[in-house]
Amino acid sequence: MIAAGAKSMLGLSITPLKGVPDSNSRSVGVLRACVSMEGSQTMSHNKNGSIPELKAVNGHTGQKQGPLSTVGNSTNIKWHECPVEKVDRQRLLDQKGCVIWVTGLSGSGKSTLACALNQKLYQKGKLCYILDGDNVRHGLNRDLSFKAEDRAENIRRVGEVAKLFADAGIICIASLISPYRRDRDACRTLLPEGDFVEVFMDVSLEVCEARDPKGLYKLARAGKIKGFTGIDDPYEPPLDCEISLGQEGTGTSPIEMAETVVAYLEHKGYLNA
């Protein structure tokens, strides 16, 4: 039996089931969580009695149909909240969840920066996780090719996973070429303002091709790889990123660049709750 104080704290009410008598020794009922959706809007009916379109359902557009919603192709769904929220998880970890989105050409040093940043944050006792572009294609996105539409879906999925990490209070480092602005901007809109930190590895095509750590540029130049970013597929650099690295004067070693990102996080208050 749930104590009255606990029910009040959690915002729970018990509705007896039809046909089942109430009993002091054993209560049978339906628990109904009366909590609000963070980031969503309270619904009210239009004057004509219809239900207006939801502008946001946990960051996604959709339409509410009574207690249920439709988001994209998913129908009859409902967002369930828990009394333990993001702020509680952040207090437990003594940090604020966010997404560090590292973008740039192949060979620009994205993965190297991500690992150096991960190491620096670990040394400070901060919990983070890397979503590497190649790594996620070994599992979550192994069904996707490098065609434009699949690249967009690749970024969308990573953005959604990164959002979950941030909601867990974890500092998520997403390291992907992510060549198209619209896809990166779409990921930005999934998070509260300020929680998406775009880091541009501003390294020229000439330098990246000279490095060619995976031998991919050579294969692309030989026509053995089609749609390779920077060769026969465009890369759209950020127009207003939070941090730009790689160019002369910003620190060229991975550790120096990682320290720049750490300094930004400290200044914005993400390394404490």
Side-chain angles (χ1 to χ4, degrees):
M1 186 172 183
I2 301 176
K7 289 191 292 182
S8 175
M9 178 183 69
L10 296 175
L12 299 174
S13 63
I14 295 182
T15 304
L17 292 173
K18 291 183 178 180
V20 179
D22 188 19
S23 171
N24 292 329
S25 60
R26 179 175 297 178
S27 296
V28 180
V30 178
L31 289 178
R32 180 178 300 160
C34 303
V35 293
S36 61
M37 285 170 46
E38 182 181 357
S40 67
Q41 297 182 353
T42 302
M43 291 300 300
S44 60
H45 286 73
N46 288 325
K47 292 181 179 180
N48 62 5
S50 65
I51 299 175
E53 182 180 348
L54 270 182
K55 290 186 178 180
V57 179
N58 191 43
H60 296 284
T61 58
Q63 187 177 37
K64 185 167 183 178
Q65 301 166 337
L68 303 176
S69 300
T70 295
V71 181
N73 293 327
S74 296
T75 60
N76 301 318
I77 59 174
K78 180 178 180 179
W79 183 266
H80 291 274
E81 283 288 357
C82 176
V84 179
E85 299 180 338
K86 180 180 180 180
V87 64
D88 303 303
R89 295 186 285 271
Q90 292 181 150
R91 191 179 299 115
L92 181 67
L93 296 171
D94 191 28
Q95 63 185 52
K96 292 185 176 70
C98 63
V99 174
I100 313 299
W101 194 278
V102 187
T103 177
L105 292 169
S106 177
S108 61
K110 300 181 300 300
S111 296
T112 303
L113 169 65
C115 290
L117 178 57
N118 186 32
Q119 184 179 21
K120 296 293 290 185
L121 291 171
Y122 175 80
Q123 290 171 351
K124 287 181 171 291
K126 302 305 172 184
L127 182 61
C128 56
Y129 192 84
I130 298 173
L131 293 175
D132 181 83
D134 277 6
N135 289 0
V136 295
R137 284 182 175 273
H138 279 76
L140 175 67
N141 294 344
R142 64 185 179 185
D143 59 320
L144 300 177
S145 70
F146 286 90
K147 295 179 181 178
E149 59 271 24
D150 278 1
R151 299 188 83 158
E153 174 61 13
N154 178 59
I155 299 307
R156 188 195 70 79
R157 293 183 192 178
V158 172
E160 291 287 355
V161 174
K163 171 189 169 184
L164 294 176
F165 273 108
D167 187 61
I170 297 171
I171 298 171
C172 181
I173 307 169
S175 172
L176 308 95
I177 294 175
S178 44
Y180 310 131
R181 290 192 197 102
R182 66 178 181 274
D183 296 333
R184 300 193 302 267
D185 290 344
C187 292
R188 182 185 290 273
T189 62
L190 294 175
L191 293 126
E193 185 175 356
D195 286 1
F196 185 93
V197 182
E198 190 173 29
V199 179
F200 175 37
M201 299 302 293
D202 189 5
V203 181
S204 69
L205 174 62
E206 292 73 23
V207 171
C208 292
E209 190 168 0
R211 293 173 178 173
D212 202 8
K214 303 174 187 176
L216 298 177
Y217 284 101
K218 184 177 181 179
L219 292 173
R221 291 293 187 187
K224 296 180 179 180
I225 297 179
K226 301 296 183 181
F228 191 77
T229 302
I231 303 301
D232 55 352
D233 201 64
Y235 176 81
E236 300 170 354
L239 300 177
D240 191 23
C241 60
E242 282 73 17
I243 302 173
S244 182
L245 298 171
Q247 67 272 43
E248 188 176 351
T250 62
T252 55
S253 76
I255 294 299
E256 288 175 314
M257 290 189 287
E259 288 173 344
T260 298
V261 180
V262 170
Y264 177 91
L265 296 175
E266 287 179 330
H267 176 69
K268 294 295 184 178
Y270 283 97
L271 299 190
N272 54 69

